[in-house]
Each structure stands twice: as structure tokens, then as C-alpha cells.
């Protein structure tokens, strides 16, 4: 279990930080950028949860995902694919697949792309989706540069899809979606 007595260690004052295996790296290396983007996505999910606090179908999903994003951060902070450290598992991505299917089953088919907006909760889900996509791009770059748990990329890809579906659910099951009208301002 984690125990944090001292928050300010001054260990990063020179622009470096420690990975989970003790290796010191610059704070601007791709691994740290990816970890930071996952952390930021988690913070956006915290804001989304403020919008969905009374929704017994959605808030528990988001609460679990926030914990899983911390698991992903723990996975990313230790280089390599395997090992005894905490790693995301295929079952976590499979659960997201099932949730996407269940949430999407109640939505009407789309006839256009959806613009971010609608209700405050839906807009926040779109912000979460874009934040997760940025984290995914950084993790994809990291996976191209060094060995990485392949579930990290898969999980983020599924999670952004779930945020899109949840945005539609939070827009009155799609009735409040703001649809793109190509060339509308010509």
C-alpha cells in the first residue's frame, strides 16, 4: 500500500522525477508526458463525476474508471511489458467493450457527426473523450519507442469510445445531441 508522509521532497526541483523502478528521468520524456496525460484525463473524469453524481447508472462506472486510470499510471511508471508490478489486464478493456455496447443499445443511430455540447454533463464527457484521446496518442508514441503493456493502448482507445457514448446518453439518449451540419456557414 502507498504511504505518503512527505509531499514536497524537492527531488524534482532540477527537472527530474523517479519512475516506479527507481530510475531517474527528465520530466519531459515521453513516458512522463504519457503518465501526465493519463493523470489529466483522470482529473477531467473527476469533473464529469460532479455532473453525474446523481446518475446511478453512470457515476459508478466513472468511479471505477478513475481507479483504473490510476492503475494505468502505475503500469506506465514501470518500464517494460511484464513483471510483478500492477498492469492493466484484458478483462478491463473487455468490461469497457461491454459497457459501450450496453449504453449504445439504447441510442438512436447517428446521421451526422456530433459536435461537443448539449448538456453540461455531455459537454464534460466530450472534454473527457478528447483528453483521453490525447493520452492515447502519447501512449501510442511510447509503445512505438519501447516495450509497453499492449493493454494500455487498447484500454484508452475503448475508454474514449465509452466517453462518446456516455456523452450521447447524457444528452437525453441522443435527443439533445448537437449535430454537425457540413458547410452550414457557407
Amino acid at each position: 500500500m502507498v504511504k505518503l508522509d512527505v509531499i514536497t521532497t524537492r527531488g524534482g526541483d532540477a527537472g527530474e522525477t523517479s519512475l516506479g523502478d527507481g530510475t531517474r528521468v527528465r520530466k519531459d520524456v515521453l513516458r512522463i508526458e504519457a503518465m501526465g496525460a493519463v493523470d489529466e484525463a483522470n482529473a477531467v473524469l473527476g469533473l464529469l463525476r460532479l455532473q453525474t453524481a446523481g446518475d446511478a447508472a453512470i457515476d459508478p462506472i466513472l468511479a471505477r474508471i478513475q481507479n483504473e486510470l490510476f492503475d494505468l499510471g502505475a503500469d506506465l511508471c514501470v518500464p517494460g511489458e511484464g513483471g510483478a508490478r500492477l498492469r492493466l489486464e484484458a478483462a478491463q478493456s473487455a468490461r469497457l467493450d461491454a459497457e459501450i455496447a450496453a449504453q449504445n443499445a439504447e441510442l438512436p443511430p447517428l446521421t451526422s457527426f456530433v459536435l461537443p455540447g448539449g448538456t453540461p454533463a455531455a459537454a464534460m464527457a466530450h472534454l473527457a473523450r478528447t483528453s483521453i484521446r490525447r493520452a492515447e496518442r502519447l501512449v501510442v508514441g511510447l509503445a512505438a519507442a519501447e516495450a509497453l503493456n499492449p493493454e494500455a493502448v487498447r484500454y484508452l482507445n475503448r475508454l474514449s469510445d465509452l466517453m462518446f457514448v456516455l456523452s450521447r446518453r447524457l444528452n437525453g439518449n441522443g435527443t439533445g445531441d448537437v449535430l454537425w451540419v457540413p458547410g452550414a456557414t457557407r
Side-chain angles (χ1 to χ4, degrees), residues 40-63:
E40 185 178 325
N42 203 343
V44 174
L45 283 177
L47 290 173
L48 176 56
R49 288 191 66 203
L50 291 175
Q51 297 289 325
T52 63
D55 192 322
I58 294 177
D59 189 60
I61 293 170
L62 297 176

Side-chain angles (χ1 to χ4, degrees), residues 104-167:
N104 198 47
E106 299 179 31
L107 298 173
L110 283 170
T111 58
S112 178
F113 288 104
V114 176
L115 299 176
T119 66
M124 189 59 66
H126 279 290
L127 182 60
R129 174 185 57 78
T130 61
S131 181
I132 291 162
R133 282 283 188 217
R134 188 166 56 79
E136 179 187 11
R137 289 189 302 271
L138 288 166
V139 172
V140 165
L142 180 61
E146 54 187 281
L148 192 70
N149 177 1
E151 283 307 314
V153 174
R154 187 173 297 116
Y155 182 86
L156 289 170
N157 187 42
R158 296 303 186 285
L159 183 55
S160 64
D161 290 344
L162 178 60
M163 290 303 110
F164 176 75
V165 172
L166 289 182
S167 75

Side-chain angles (χ1 to χ4, degrees), residues 76-111:
L76 293 172
C77 86
V78 180
E81 294 179 59
R85 298 287 185 141
L86 182 61
R87 302 290 184 193
L88 284 185
E89 297 177 349
Q92 291 166 296
S93 297
R95 183 172 35 242
L96 292 177
D97 274 330
E99 288 166 344
I100 291 165
Q103 296 289 333
N104 198 47
E106 299 179 31
L107 298 173
L110 283 170
T111 58

